[in-house]
Amino acid sequence: MTETGTKSESMRSVIRINPPGRRFGCVALILNPDGHVLMVRPAYKPGKLILPGGSAEPNEAPNEAAARWVLTETGLVLDLWQLVAVDYVSAGESPEGVNFVFWGGRLAARMASKAAAPPVEQSGILEAVWVPPADLPTVTDAEQTARVIDALRVVELGAGIPLLLRGRPAGA
């Protein structure tokens, strides 16, 4: 075996035993009847809105993490299983990771009116607001705006892919 082959095999063994840590962000794209996007203002990131969601815990399925965060941050109970975007994020402000964007649906007016941030002590969220897509560049950063706009394009096309959990579709 060549020296390169030995190093490569050794690296694969290390990765199998001690895989690199990565963050799995699990967020939801949710619309109201007017097509406005549900965004939250976290206390830890003043000034900018983000999609509701957060990191998955170890051994937590991404869709379950997204649903847990949506409930915590907005009070909404949603069955999330269809992916509308997967966004790789290199290390920077937060560790390297992948953001799974789940389609939360276009809510009926009555359900949309129930979206509200629970007390900040419980949720870490200052407010939950509905934002027209055209206003996104003024209320969030360029990366978040691009993530939402691209996910909206997928929804408009009627596209998306189901999340598989051990080869079986999650949810419906």
Side-chain angles (χ1 to χ4, degrees), residues 51-163:
L51 289 171
S55 295
E57 298 291 332
N59 293 311
E60 181 180 30
N63 62 317
E64 292 171 359
R68 173 176 56 82
W69 282 106
V70 167
L71 174 61
T72 300
E73 295 178 345
T74 70
L76 295 173
V77 176
L78 299 176
D79 183 21
L80 304 172
W81 57 271
Q82 186 178 24
L83 289 166
V84 291
V86 177
D87 185 9
Y88 169 78
V89 180
S90 59
E93 253 182 55
S94 53
E96 174 193 35
V98 175
N99 287 314
F100 295 101
V101 183
F102 289 93
W103 173 230
R106 184 181 295 260
L107 305 181
R110 186 173 184 166
M111 182 137 175
S113 70
K114 294 180 181 183
V120 70
E121 302 80 29
Q122 288 177 300
S123 66
I125 300 299
L126 300 171
E127 67 177 332
V129 297
W130 295 100
V131 179
D135 292 351
L136 288 168
T138 64
V139 298
T140 193
D141 61 35
E143 191 174 283
Q144 187 78 217
T145 296
R147 181 178 298 131
V148 173
I149 296 300
D150 286 334
L152 283 170
R153 281 191 197 117
V154 170
V155 168
E156 287 170 8
L157 293 171
I161 57 172
L163 174 69

Side-chain angles (χ1 to χ4, degrees), residues 12-35:
R12 281 196 294 270
S13 294
V14 168
I15 290 173
R16 276 191 297 255
I17 294 167
N18 188 18
R22 288 201 170 100
R23 180 188 55 77
F24 291 121
C26 306
V27 300
L29 175 66
I30 305 163
L31 303 180
N32 70 8
D34 297 323

